[in-house]
Amino acid sequence: MNRFLNTEDDFGSLKLTIQKFYRITGESNQRKGIVSDIQMKDFFTYAEVGERYDDFALAWDKIPTANFQKLNIFNIQALEKASADRMAKNAKYQLLLESAQWREQLDKEETITLNINKFNDLMKQRKIQIEKFKSLTKFENGLQFSMYQSEIEREKKDEAFKKKSEIWIKNLKKDLYLQEAMNIIADMSVKS
């Protein structure tokens, strides 16, 4: 979308689905997406966002499975349990889930008091909650990132690409899930 707007901000992209994609299992990814082996809740877990809530999204369906043999190199249940145990002890992850539930509760509110005193009390409570969740914006996962040499060269010539790359890396450093993905990969290397 950026190429149609006179801005350095990243407005993402627009996608129009005109045909279905089927996985090797024969399942489409419409409305359900691709379900991870190791699942973690995120900020949108409790929100009604995504294709499955769109009135005119293509329906999920299944065609015959392709001929393939599933590899069982890793004990997925053990990896999933180790991850769940880590995330249960991860204060930032728990705070993120709390903030997601709080936001979902706000989204479902249909009324608000007109009594000024009650309204002011409600706003004070909300400010306290917002302050509590502010630490999530300051989170850094401690991971280091580098770019390919060709991207470094492109940054020298393309200011918009440079800005987008800086934002991308900044967001990667704040990604709690990327940190856990690295932990899972470490578990995989230990258990292989």
Side-chain angles (χ1 to χ4, degrees):
M1 298 298 294
N2 296 10
R3 66 181 163 169
F4 301 111
L5 304 167
N6 188 17
T7 180
E8 288 186 8
D9 292 331
D10 186 7
F11 283 89
S13 59
L14 180 66
K15 178 183 168 191
L16 178 63
T17 303
I18 58 172
Q19 58 186 349
K20 287 192 175 185
F21 170 83
Y22 292 93
R23 300 176 61 218
I24 194 169
T25 60
E27 298 172 325
S28 71
N29 62 356
Q30 272 66 42
R31 295 191 182 252
K32 292 184 180 185
I34 297 175
V35 179
S36 302
D37 289 326
I38 300 172
Q39 297 181 32
M40 292 179 267
K41 293 180 180 177
D42 66 12
F43 189 72
F44 299 104
T45 295
Y46 307 101
E48 292 183 4
V49 296
E51 185 180 46
R52 67 179 167 250
Y53 296 103
D54 292 344
D55 292 335
F56 301 105
L58 296 173
W60 180 91
D61 65 345
K62 186 173 181 176
I63 61 173
T65 301
N67 186 18
F68 76 100
Q69 183 176 0
K70 189 173 182 177
L71 298 176
N72 293 314
I73 298 172
F74 303 106
N75 181 340
I76 298 297
Q77 290 79 20
L79 292 170
E80 187 174 34
K81 183 181 180 333
S83 176
D85 291 347
R86 261 191 310 272
M87 296 310 270
K89 296 173 191 166
N90 186 317
K92 290 293 183 199
Y93 179 68
Q94 296 305 317
L95 186 61
L96 179 119
L97 295 182
E98 184 183 337
S99 74
Q101 290 169 330
W102 179 71
R103 187 189 58 79
E104 180 61 14
Q105 180 185 356
L106 289 179
D107 286 349
K108 289 184 177 181
E109 283 184 6
E110 294 182 2
T111 61
I112 194 157
T113 183
L114 293 176
N115 178 296
I116 191 70
N117 293 329
K118 289 181 181 178
F119 178 80
N120 287 338
D121 289 343
L122 178 63
M123 291 302 109
K124 284 179 190 174
Q125 290 171 355
R126 288 186 180 173
K127 281 183 183 179
I128 290 168
Q129 285 298 106
I130 289 168
E131 196 61 38
K132 180 180 181 180
F133 301 136
K134 263 189 184 174
S135 67
L136 291 170
T137 63
K138 295 173 177 44
F139 173 78
E140 294 243 347
N141 57 29
L143 300 174
Q144 298 296 314
F145 302 92
S146 58
M147 298 178 69
Y148 289 111
Q149 188 60 40
S150 61
E151 293 172 326
I152 293 169
E153 293 301 319
R154 181 176 172 191
E155 279 187 338
K156 293 176 185 174
K157 301 172 194 160
D158 186 342
E159 193 61 36
F161 178 76
K162 180 179 180 180
K163 180 78 171 165
K164 192 172 184 176
S165 297
E166 288 169 356
I167 292 168
W168 182 63
I169 289 176
K170 180 180 173 184
N171 288 333
L172 287 175
K173 289 181 177 185
K174 293 177 172 285
D175 193 328
L176 181 92
Y177 299 95
L178 191 54
Q179 179 186 38
E180 180 55 19
M182 296 301 293
N183 291 334
I184 293 167
I185 290 170
D187 289 346
M188 290 166 71
S189 65
V190 168
K191 294 178 171 75
S192 61

